[in-house]
Amino acid sequence: MQAEKPKEKHEATHDVRDVRRTTCCVVGGGPGGAVLSLLLARAGIEVTLLEAHPDFDREFRGDTLHPSVMEIMDQLGLAERLLQLRHTEARSFTLQTVSGPFTPVDFSRLDTKYPYITVMPQTSFLEFITGEAKRYPNFRLVMGARVRELVEEEGVVRGVRYESEDGWYEVRAILTVGADGRGSRVRRLAGFEPVKTSPPMDVLWFKLPREEGDPEGLIGRFGRGHIAVMLDRHDYWQAGYVIPKGTYPELRREGVESLHRGFAELIPEFADRIEHLKDWQQASLLSVESSICSRWYKPGLLLIGDAAHVMSPVAGVGINYAIQDAVAASNVLSGPLKESQKRLVDLDVRYLAATQRRRELATRFIQRFQALIQQQVLAPALHSSTPFAPPLFLRFLLRVPVLRNIPSRIVAFGIWPVRVRK
Ligand SMILES: Cc1cc2nc3c(=O)[nH]c(=O)nc-3n(C[C@H](O)[C@H](O)[C@H](O)COP(=O)(O)OP(=O)(O)OC[C@H]3O[C@@H](n4cnc5c(N)ncnc54)[C@H](O)[C@@H]3O)c2cc1C
């Protein structure tokens, strides 16, 4: 009997209902993938965006658009319409300390048209961006498309296979972009292993009711072994309770009353409202991670956003960095992709390397900044039973007029802003 020939990587292991060709196949309709798809579609490139979920509905995900993102939206002529959607604005971040209020970040001092964080449900943002992209006939969005396999031929990624409600499909593309988030399947299939560091905390997210007369914007409190943040969401507060890494099982064993006590100690004016959290099902645990891949590309494939680098939640910059990656990728790749589309040739891998170079330094820099805040501010606050006092270096920085905008600038823009190339 003749032995069965082993299947090559590019051969489908399932019955594929349909094979479509495009120029760029983007996997993942999060902020990074959605913005990249819009930018490429605007540039006249054939784009297919594949999103695993049937809709964009998300709870307790990043809902913050930093000044850099709003400037990008402005460059695209979309900022004013985006700001017509329901949102709140957080202009500064103030902590209560032993010596009174302490404001390490104040965007209102920055020279920008958008001196605030726009807090908007990620669902609204993604629907808005993909709605814009749909105006271009060269854009195709497939919801409920769970990418399972890469199509690879002789070391070059030629597209993906995805499973949907009614079976398997194949998309063949000159470039495949993995924008499929922190647990990226594309990254795993491509054989990339991110280098991880372990931030010292995890975060529990839950909702608390808002009442008339409540303050607006952001509230942050540190001290006595806990940290709490509250984000104003119009109809409710999105509350974050920061706990030392790995201590969630212990907290659960102690019972939800232990969380009530810790939270009420930090924000006594919300002591009655924390009672609304009655069981753990109402809370969502974010296991905090920080990582970066040493390589973000291989022939025919690029990773962007959380797929290339998972960000710690310090300063809430995950969306910011995913969108800046998308803009940098579009700036570098639009021209070469158009050429490849016209002449039906492969994309030179040097353009993918150039995309990583544009973003890697800025990403490593902000991750270092986050690690510094974690070590110098968050870890001491989580492991001390005394009230929080800001570290000396931060107090010094904020007192010197020429230096005091540095933390706000870093949070708003990173080391340099990314602009959409005309
Ligand atoms: C609880 C929580 C709170 C956060 N809070 C903030 C915050 O306040 N501010 C902030 O800036 N960031 C925050 N972040 C981080 C932020 O959400 C991410 O950094 C950001 O969304 C990354 O964008 P992305 O486009 O790279 O990936 P994601 O937003 O993760 O998008 C990836 C997309 O890919 C899809 N996908 C996954 N696998 C597949 C597949 N196999 N096939 C097809 N599609 C697939 C997913 O469904 C998803 O839509 C938070 C994250 C969490 C978990």
Side-chain angles (χ1 to χ4, degrees), residues 16-80:
V16 170
R17 291 174 68 102
D18 179 37
V19 179
R20 291 232 191 168
R21 284 177 196 280
T22 185
T23 302
C24 183
C25 173
V26 179
V27 182
V35 171
L36 177 63
S37 300
L38 168 62
L39 292 168
L40 295 181
R42 272 176 96 239
I45 291 158
E46 297 278 338
V47 191
T48 297
L49 172 60
L50 304 175
E51 167 53 44
H53 282 99
D55 54 41
F56 289 117
D57 238 347
R58 286 138 205 257
E59 200 159 66
F60 301 130
R61 301 304 304 269
D63 292 328
T64 53
L65 305 176
H66 283 47
S68 63
V69 173
M70 288 313 301
E71 289 201 355
I72 287 167
M73 292 297 125
D74 193 38
Q75 289 150 25
L76 294 172
L78 299 177
E80 296 321 310

Side-chain angles (χ1 to χ4, degrees), residues 1 12 25 37 65 135 204 237 262 329 332:
M1 200 170 79
C25 173
S37 300
L65 305 176
R135 293 151 61 116
L204 267 175
W237 287 100
V332 175

Side-chain angles (χ1 to χ4, degrees), residues 190-207:
F192 295 130
E193 189 60 45
V195 179
K196 293 186 183 168
T197 50
S198 183
M201 73 277 189
D202 292 324
V203 187
L204 267 175
W205 291 106
F206 45 88
K207 288 181 179 180

Side-chain angles (χ1 to χ4, degrees), residues 27-34 50-53 55-56 58-66 122 126 145-148 162 179-186 205 231 238 284-286 304-307 309-311 313 315-323:
V27 182
L50 304 175
E51 167 53 44
H53 282 99
D55 54 41
F56 289 117
R58 286 138 205 257
E59 200 159 66
F60 301 130
R61 301 304 304 269
D63 292 328
T64 53
L65 305 176
H66 283 47
Q122 205 181 100
L126 295 176
R146 298 178 297 277
V147 170
R148 303 263 192 238
Y162 68 86
D180 50 341
R182 51 179 12 217
S184 172
R185 186 171 185 114
V186 171
W205 291 106
L231 272 171
Q238 180 180 336
S284 162
L285 177 74
L286 169 65
I304 63 166
D306 274 16
H309 47 72
V310 177
M311 311 300 271
V317 294
I319 293 181
N320 204 6
Y321 275 67
I323 291 176

